[in-house]
Amino acid sequence: MGLKDTKDGTSLPRSSPSFSRATKPSPEMHAVNSYNPKSTSDSFSDGEKVEKKPGGWRAVTFILGNETLERLGTIGLLSNFMVYLTRVFHLEQVDASNVINIWSGFTNLTPLVGAFISDAYVGRFKTIAFASFATLLGLVTLTLTASLPQLHPATCNSKDPVSCGGPNKLQFGILLLGLGFLSIGSGGIRPCSIPFGVDQFDQRTEEGIKGVASFFNWYYMTFTIVLLITQTVVVYIQDQVSWVIGFSVPTGLMACAVVMFFAGMKLYVYVKPEGSIFSGIAQVVVAARKKRNMKLPEEDDGTVTYYDPPVKESVLSKLHHSNQFRFLDKAAVIIEGDLTPEGVPANKWRLCSIQEVEEVKCLIRIVPVWSAGIISLAAMSQQGTFTVSQALKMDRHMGPNFEIPAGSLSVISLLTIGVFLPLYDRVLVPFLRRITGHKSGITLLQRIGTGIVFAILSMIVAGLVERKRRIRSINAGDPTGMTPMSVFWLSPQLILMGLCEAFNIIGQIEFFNSQFPEHMRSIANSLFSLSFAGSNYLSSLIVTTVHRFSGGHDRPDWLNKNLNAGKLDYFYYLIAVLGVFNLVYFWYCARGYRYKVGLQMGDFEDNKSFSDVEMSSKKQLK
């Protein structure tokens, strides 16, 4: 008799030394009781006999160095790219915004392709190596657009750069070529660098588990340092010294990253590709469809036999069989001819394991929640586009001689995150824990929802500040549109956006990584990149639509190149309204979400109970 779940009554794996062949099913395709899997704990013990010599921290140092320098190059370029496109390439702010949004969207889609190629074909090392060369080539190309007069429009002395001649087809094509190489590089490095670093530790040992946790801390710490350096030092060089030097510095750092990555070749642990998880997802869907006429009881009463073999060594937890999305369970039901005499599936496109089915269920449960994060990220993307346009028309002086680069203002959001997170962890979480009884103070979905609220507030404040800036600028009567108003008036909206990131972004990272099975975290990281891709394309769609339809009848559009003639505040309010609708949609999705419940390997012998955890519930896992 198998262990029963206290809520669903579904079966956990039962011990049996071998498979037995399936008997002939009835014409209604009801399942037969013919399969008993081997003990999972035995399988895990066998897995522990496999020797592995991890690269450890010596190897991880080279991986972190490559990742850090790569981000210094790419983010160093992006932080001030709006200014580069308007000042050097003389693009209007709407066109420049669309270039950035479309490129960023494509860049955030490529990790899905990179993860697939890495997992299914070439492995993580080769993927990162190829991608590093692509990133270097992209940075070299963009540096050439700044240094060679033939590759950018002629210098214009007008105080309004958009009144100057724009790029020709060759110049714009070379620019896009460089951005394309950067997208290819990001597609290979971003989904593989974290898993490749984790590969260097033996997670079957206590030391290896601690090493992985420490690796994540160092990864995010270096990422924060990169953001601070790029948005201060690199942006200042580009803005105040020279675009050529400002692009050459990230390019040189990327060249060092490539050298550093290959210098650690003898230290790395190389994990062979085991096949893409995407094919497993497709197999579950196809197998369930092939057995769509099968009838299953409304509740699992033990009369149905599922294919539930021991999980692979790479799988660290066994997912609990749930009653949600039961139509997918048909993919794991054994009927005549599904098993070979050795007890393995005769056709993986007709029979999948319960573990594989539950993994697909995890993905289906997460997708609605994931989609709700796109609009809040679209609000965040304005920091690098129209907020920069506002800053360019405001007083950016700190003292008589120093002027803050417009692209550096997002440092305010970073500082907000740095100050708020320790307070959140040490003060707010213990306080909320006493109220809610939840170990984290609030659930992950509540944390994401709070971030969405801050994104809405940020857009409302941004609209109010822009209205005040426009009125002051018009009253000042400066023909260049400059405003006698400190750029620090933009601080409130940036602080609110920093709080949005502290709740929403970090909440999404933790949510995706905790709700996916451990070996599917490449998909989790890809989904997060896909969120940014969706927000970039949504932002581009909104910008294009507003620019085309908000004007007319001798009225300038909201996003007119002349900020004083346009209505940028209306654009911010529009995003805030969309955010309110999105908040309602998110609440609806989160209200019915069931958190993942699983067993750690080796725990099958213990009689444990489980309960689904809802967003509004205070119930704990027992």
Side-chain angles (χ1 to χ4, degrees), residues 444-518:
L444 291 175
L445 291 176
Q446 287 170 342
R447 183 171 185 174
I448 296 172
T450 303
I452 293 176
V453 172
F454 277 117
I456 296 170
L457 294 176
S458 176
M459 289 296 98
I460 293 174
V461 171
L464 294 174
V465 171
E466 169 56 20
R467 183 174 182 274
K468 188 174 186 66
R469 186 211 63 80
R470 186 176 66 249
I471 292 174
R472 283 199 180 184
S473 182
I474 292 173
N475 292 337
D478 191 317
T480 64
M482 292 300 297
T483 309
M485 183 175 175
S486 172
V487 75
F488 289 106
W489 275 87
L490 300 177
S491 297
Q493 69 197 58
L494 293 171
I495 290 173
L496 287 170
M497 195 53 68
L499 294 174
C500 167
E501 291 188 48
F503 280 96
N504 191 6
I505 300 300
I506 299 177
Q508 283 193 54
I509 292 173
E510 187 175 352
F511 177 77
F512 290 144
N513 280 277
S514 65
Q515 294 305 296
F516 272 106
E518 289 80 0

Side-chain angles (χ1 to χ4, degrees), residues 127-356:
T127 303
I128 296 175
F130 176 80
S132 296
F133 279 113
T135 300
L136 179 59
L137 189 57
L139 289 172
V140 169
T141 303
L142 290 173
T143 302
L144 290 176
T145 66
S147 57
L148 297 180
Q150 300 88 344
L151 296 184
H152 62 255
T155 302
C156 180
N157 295 323
S158 173
K159 294 184 178 180
D160 185 11
V162 296
S163 65
C164 305
N168 57 38
K169 291 183 178 180
L170 174 63
Q171 293 166 344
F172 197 66
I174 296 297
L175 178 74
L176 294 182
L177 179 65
L179 295 177
F181 282 129
L182 288 180
S183 298
I184 294 172
S186 296
I189 293 175
R190 291 183 186 178
C192 296
S193 59
I194 292 180
F196 190 53
V198 173
D199 288 343
Q200 309 309 310
F201 300 98
D202 189 347
Q203 296 184 67
R204 298 166 301 171
T205 66
E206 183 178 355
E207 182 182 356
I209 294 173
K210 291 180 179 179
V212 170
S214 183
F215 168 71
F216 277 105
N217 292 334
W218 278 96
Y219 180 86
Y220 288 114
M221 188 191 74
T222 56
F223 179 60
T224 303
I225 292 174
V226 164
L227 289 176
L228 288 172
I229 294 175
T230 55
Q231 295 182 12
T232 54
V233 178
V234 177
V235 169
Y236 181 81
I237 293 173
Q238 294 171 348
D239 199 60
Q240 301 294 328
V241 181
S242 165
W243 286 102
V244 177
I245 298 175
F247 280 5
S248 297
V249 169
T251 302
L253 292 173
M254 189 62 221
C256 294
V258 174
V259 174
M260 176 175 285
F261 184 69
F262 283 98
M265 286 182 62
K266 294 183 179 180
L267 300 174
Y268 298 145
V269 170
Y270 300 91
V271 177
K272 294 182 179 179
E274 297 180 354
S276 175
I277 196 70
F278 294 108
S279 60
I281 295 172
Q283 287 169 352
V284 170
V285 174
V286 172
R289 187 181 184 281
K290 287 181 177 179
K291 296 178 181 178
R292 61 188 179 278
N293 296 324
M294 178 183 296
K295 297 183 183 298
L296 293 177
E298 292 185 4
E299 295 290 335
D300 191 354
D301 54 9
T303 61
V304 178
T305 303
Y306 297 101
Y307 179 58
D308 200 3
V311 295
K312 298 178 182 178
E313 182 190 353
S314 58
V315 178
L316 300 181
S317 65
K318 173 74 174 179
L319 291 181
H320 173 57
H321 183 199
S322 66
N323 278 330
Q324 199 175 21
F325 310 121
R326 292 212 63 214
F327 63 93
L328 290 174
D329 290 348
K330 297 176 182 180
V333 175
I334 302 172
I335 61 175
E336 184 180 20
D338 279 348
L339 290 176
T340 66
E342 292 76 23
V344 296
N347 184 351
K348 285 292 293 181
W349 295 91
R350 283 193 60 86
L351 181 65
C352 303
S353 69
I354 281 291
Q355 177 77 7
E356 292 170 327

